[in-house]
């Protein structure tokens, strides 16, 4: 891997981003919320796939574009939220994020649209076709890649 610091990591393939998610999952527990920021195709869903695997969750990880939220069952269930199509704040309320966080952890694509919640905030930046910079912008001190 080209660059690794505690808070910043450059991956060179989707598999590496997935593996980074798998490692980050060790930091995640019930009540934790991870917001993902990154352009279309940045690798948000890819990272979630790794998180779910690292948490031992079952189910195929796909962007919940038409469902708003998908829940992957496991020891600590992971709620996968995608706010791409959400325009009204009332829809955000319907999400019931607090309830989801009582049951498990949650990861939110287009999480920058969610105001007032912020446990951890990951920014994914495409450097070129296959390289992505993953940045733990805000996260508990013990979290790392
Ligand atoms: N280093 C990398 N990390 C992650 N994905 C990569 C990387 N290099 C190439 N890719 C490709 O980029 C795409 C990322 O797609 P993904 O669905 O994860 O993005 P997304 O941010 O969820 O997009 P959307 O905004 O549409 O939800 C995949 O096709 C993946 O194979
Ligand atoms: Mg996605």
């Amino acid at each position: 891997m080209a660059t690794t610091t505690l808070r910043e990591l450059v991956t060179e393939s989707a598999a590496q981003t997935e593996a980074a998610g798998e490692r980050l999952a060790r930091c995640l527990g019930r009540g934790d919320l991870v917001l993902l920021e990154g352009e279309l195709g940045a690798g948000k869903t890819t990272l979630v796939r790794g998180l779910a695997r690292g948490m031992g969750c079952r189910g195929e990880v796909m962007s919940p574009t038409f469902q708003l939220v998908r829940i992957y069952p496991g020891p600590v269930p992971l709620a996968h939220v995608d706010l791409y199509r959400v325009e009204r704040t009332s829809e955000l309320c319907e999400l019931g994020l607090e309830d989801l966080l009582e049951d498990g952890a949650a990861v939110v694509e287009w999480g920058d649209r969610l105001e007032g919640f912020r446990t951890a905030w990951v920014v994914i930046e495409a450097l070129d076709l296959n390289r992505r910079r993953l940045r733990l912008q805000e996260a508990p001190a013990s979290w790392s890649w």
Side-chain angles (χ1 to χ4, degrees), residues 44-45 63 80 82 109-110:
K44 301 180 292 296
T45 301
S63 259
H80 180 190
D82 192 320
E109 296 194 36
W110 303 98

Side-chain angles (χ1 to χ4, degrees), residues 27-35 55 75-79 97-107 117-120 140 143:
C27 307
L28 267 174
R30 195 166 269 113
D32 282 330
L33 172 68
V34 179
L35 306 185
M55 291 174 73
V76 173
L78 179 65
L97 201 51
E98 279 104 343
D99 292 340
L100 292 172
L101 289 170
E102 265 177 38
D103 296 333
V107 58
F117 288 93
R118 188 158 283 174
T119 308
W143 290 29

Side-chain angles (χ1 to χ4, degrees), residues 11 13-14 17 40-46 63 109-110 129-130 132:
T11 62
S13 67
T17 296
L40 280 171
K44 301 180 292 296
T45 301
T46 304
S63 259
E109 296 194 36
W110 303 98
L129 188 61
N130 287 309
R132 303 290 188 272

